[in-house]
Amino acid sequence: MFPHHQKSLGRDWTTPWENLQRCCWNRHISSCMRTPFQYWNWRPDSLSHSPLIHLSSYIMNSEGDEPSSKRRKHQGTIQRHWEYICNHNKDKTKILGDKNVDPKCEDSDNKFDFSVMSYNILSQDLLEDNSHLYRHCRQPVLHWSFRFPNILKEIKHFDADVLCLQEVQEDHYGAEIRPSLESLGYHCEYKMRTGRKPDGCAICFKHSKFSLLSVNPVEFYRRDVPLLDRDNVGLVLLLQPKLPRAASPVICVANTHLLYNPRRGDIKLTQLAMLLAEISSVAHQKDGSFCPIVMCGDFNSVPGSPLYSFIKEGKLNYEGLAIGKVSGQEQSSRGQRILSIPIWPPNLGISQNCVYEVQQLPKVEKTDGDLTQTELDKTEVLVTAEKLSSNLHHHFSLSSVYSHYFPDTGIPEVTTCHSRSAITVDYIFYSAEKEDVAGQPGAEVALVGGLKLLARLSLLTEQDLWTVNGLPNENNSSDHLPLLAKFRLEL
């Protein structure tokens, strides 16, 4: 049974707002890396397993009340705790509290444990261009000079082995983010959005934990495909754990930020297919299997939507599906057209199985003389033709780290909260360890190992977040929450 987030709130934070503002603005960025992570009015003995998110002690009158976004609230704390998952059987998943960790979750010589954070840190330019989403916020908390020290403090405290960051603004990345993370022991890779967009995606990993084998950026803009006229990107890395053994396995880590527009599900699905095709290419191994995969990002789609279901189930029949229903962000489909079959044109070079089209060259026997032009013409690349089908597939067995609802109440978990909405759009998907996958009849792909989910950092409800006036606020400086998971790779 999943433990619900703790409802007891800590004492009010009594530090005056003016002092907090002055303190943060005058603090040099490097001091965030030297100073231990601070918690106000919290027991020191709870720090090792109990990261916190700061929330206020404002109490709602009833379950359905929504606090005024203009109400000034005092600051306090609420625990955002680790949920330890010690039985990976999907139907019998067991969640334990911090103090009851199952011995099976302990590390050993034949296991490699690592942690992954996915975090949309809110580009400053995008914040300022969409100021209507942050009318509930005090203006000083929206300044980058205030926000970055908070973001860096979170990253330093959680100390994840791999960071997947979205909305990383290019000028801030070069001047502050990358140098700060490198000083914390991370190697950073970055892919800026195409066009004139000022932000992008970054994947950063600990030098002490991984070696970099390959970097594979993915641009979703294609000049030759009218559908793909948006500047979103993805980034795929192939990492090798640093282990004291000759043959070490590899792990594929992907990060993306899909198009926001709720009414362009056709573009979202195509962008996702392009990312999956690149992952398939990078993660594919010589024996035909795929290495373990972790796919993070802001997918701008809600749990249970067709796009989300496609990721988890590996298949989607989109015949008759309204274009605005793909992501589940909007309920009304009035005036929306139906997805075309196929969604993307053949010249994109990606099949309905979300892999790059197989290009086949006819075998040409070597002769003493040079090939004639006629013979060269015969060796043109032949692209495999597919029958028109409304069925999409991918070959990965992906699970979501989070369950998206609190099982004891049915209340949705929330990963982003601002003036317009509070929903889940951020995810960490991973290739779950499966029993006897290769031996199952009709199994197309065998995973090497697969990953076990050991723990996840609990999420919050919309009501929780509005008790601090939503996001961003004085202590949480993005409009998204960081997602964090601990995995184990059996060696």
Side-chain angles (χ1 to χ4, degrees):
M1 181 176 179
F2 295 72
H4 195 282
H5 59 286
Q6 299 211 3
K7 297 180 180 178
S8 58
L9 297 172
R11 291 172 290 172
D12 288 348
W13 187 2
T14 57
T15 302
W17 160 243
E18 293 80 4
N19 292 345
L20 172 63
Q21 175 186 338
R22 189 181 303 112
C23 173
C24 185
W25 282 357
N26 293 338
R27 185 188 302 128
H28 191 274
I29 290 173
S30 62
S31 68
C32 293
M33 296 175 281
R34 297 193 299 265
T35 306
F37 196 88
Q38 297 295 319
Y39 292 98
W40 299 92
N41 299 320
W42 199 257
R43 300 190 309 273
D45 60 354
S46 68
L47 297 185
S48 60
H49 293 293
S50 302
L52 308 178
I53 183 169
H54 291 275
L55 296 176
S56 77
S57 57
Y58 172 76
I59 304 299
M60 294 187 177
N61 294 324
S62 66
E63 194 75 17
D65 287 346
E66 295 184 5
S68 168
S69 62
K70 297 181 180 180
R71 189 188 301 264
R72 299 297 187 196
K73 304 174 180 68
H74 300 290
Q75 294 301 303
T77 59
I78 190 172
Q79 188 174 20
R80 191 176 171 200
H81 58 277
W82 282 104
E83 298 173 340
Y84 287 89
I85 303 171
C86 295
N87 186 332
H88 198 67
N89 186 309
K90 191 172 182 180
D91 297 325
K92 298 180 181 179
T93 300
K94 185 178 182 182
I95 307 297
L96 301 176
D98 318 331
K99 299 179 181 179
N100 299 309
V101 180
D102 191 298
K104 297 177 184 176
C105 291
E106 296 178 357
D107 204 0
S108 65
D109 294 337
N110 61 343
K111 299 169 184 175
F112 179 76
D113 290 1
F114 65 101
S115 55
V116 177
M117 172 189 280
S118 182
Y119 195 4
N120 182 326
I121 63 173
L122 180 57
S123 157
Q124 189 66 24
D125 280 1
L126 291 177
L127 182 156
E128 294 170 5
D129 290 345
N130 297 276
S131 58
H132 61 284
L133 299 178
Y134 311 105
R135 292 172 182 166
H136 61 285
C137 301
R138 298 178 177 92
Q139 285 303 309
V141 308
L142 299 179
H143 292 286
W144 179 247
S145 59
F146 186 98
R147 297 200 305 116
F148 180 59
N150 275 350
I151 292 170
L152 187 60
K153 188 187 295 184
E154 280 185 294
I155 290 173
K156 181 183 178 184
H157 172 67
F158 290 128
D159 196 33
D161 298 314
V162 179
L163 305 174
C164 291
L165 306 178
Q166 305 89 42
E167 291 194 24
V168 179
Q169 193 164 306
E170 193 229 2
D171 56 344
H172 292 155
Y173 174 75
E176 298 167 277
I177 299 173
R178 180 174 181 174
S180 298
L181 293 180
E182 287 180 340
S183 72
L184 295 176
Y186 289 98
H187 174 92
C188 302
E189 294 292 339
Y190 178 70
K191 175 57 184 174
M192 185 177 174
R193 284 203 286 167
T194 51
R196 297 182 178 179
K197 301 298 188 298
D199 66 290
C201 294
I203 301 179
C204 313
F205 60 90
K206 288 286 186 71
H207 283 291
S208 59
K209 203 81 170 176
F210 296 97
S211 298
L212 178 63
L213 298 184
S214 70
V215 181
N216 308 274
V218 185
E219 296 184 355
F220 297 143
Y221 174 82
R222 286 282 297 267
R223 183 174 298 180
D224 58 333
V225 180
L227 173 69
L228 295 172
D229 60 352
R230 308 304 166 95
D231 295 306
N232 306 81
V233 295
L235 185 59
V236 183
L237 302 190
L238 191 63
L239 303 178
Q240 187 168 45
K242 290 186 174 180
L243 297 169
R245 52 189 295 168
S248 178
V250 294
I251 299 171
C252 179
V253 179
N255 183 24
T256 192
H257 189 178
L258 299 185
L259 177 70
Y260 165 75
N261 192 336
R263 299 185 179 183
R264 292 309 305 267
D266 51 346
I267 298 178
K268 292 175 190 272
L269 279 173
T270 306
Q271 290 179 347
L272 176 61
M274 296 173 73
L275 180 68
L276 292 171
E278 186 64 26
I279 293 173
S280 179
S281 176
V282 172
H284 191 266
Q285 302 193 111
K286 293 180 180 179
D287 62 358
S289 65
F290 292 106
C291 70
I293 297 161
V294 178
M295 184 171 72
C296 301
D298 181 343
F299 290 82
N300 275 313
S301 301
V302 303
S305 66
L307 187 144
Y308 172 89
S309 298
F310 174 51
I311 293 174
K312 285 196 66 178
E313 297 174 9
K315 59 183 179 180
L316 174 67
N317 186 343
Y318 61 86
E319 183 176 4
L321 180 61
I323 197 171
K325 290 286 190 179
V326 169
S327 66
Q329 294 163 284
E330 290 189 351
Q331 298 302 314
S332 174
S333 59
R334 182 179 60 181
Q336 294 179 3
R337 58 187 175 88
I338 303 300
L339 287 170
S340 61
I341 302 176
I343 299 174
W344 56 83
N347 65 320
L348 180 58
I350 293 177
S351 74
Q352 296 289 95
N353 289 326
C354 297
V355 296
Y356 293 123
E357 293 275 14
V358 177
Q359 295 182 331
Q360 298 176 336
L361 285 171
K363 293 182 180 179
V364 179
E365 293 183 3
K366 187 175 181 179
T367 60
D368 294 335
D370 293 333
L371 292 176
T372 65
Q373 183 61 45
T374 304
E375 289 171 324
L376 287 172
D377 291 340
K378 292 179 181 178
T379 64
E380 287 182 354
V381 173
L382 302 177
V383 179
T384 320
E386 288 190 53
K387 296 181 180 179
L388 293 182
S389 169
S390 61
N391 292 300
L392 295 181
H393 298 273
H394 69 74
H395 297 314
F396 310 122
S397 176
L398 297 176
S399 295
S400 172
V401 163
Y402 290 91
S403 55
H404 315 309
Y405 296 90
F406 291 98
D408 52 345
T409 64
I411 298 175
E413 297 173 335
V414 166
T415 68
T416 181
C417 180
H418 50 64
S419 293
R420 291 288 180 89
S421 66
I423 56 175
T424 285
V425 293
D426 307 280
Y427 303 93
I428 300 177
F429 296 104
Y430 67 102
S431 53
E433 185 178 61
K434 296 281 187 178
E435 295 183 2
D436 302 324
V437 172
Q440 292 176 0
E444 299 179 57
V445 174
L447 289 174
V448 174
L451 298 173
K452 283 187 177 181
L453 176 62
L454 298 182
R456 63 193 178 200
L457 189 64
S458 63
L459 286 172
L460 302 168
T461 68
E462 177 180 3
Q463 179 177 324
D464 289 334
L465 291 174
W466 277 118
T467 61
V468 283
N469 211 31
L471 297 173
N473 55 56
E474 286 82 354
N475 300 285
N476 311 101
S477 287
S478 174
D479 58 350
H480 292 248
L481 294 174
L483 279 57
L484 191 60
K486 296 180 180 179
F487 296 106
R488 171 168 293 167
L489 175 63
E490 302 282 354
L491 303 177

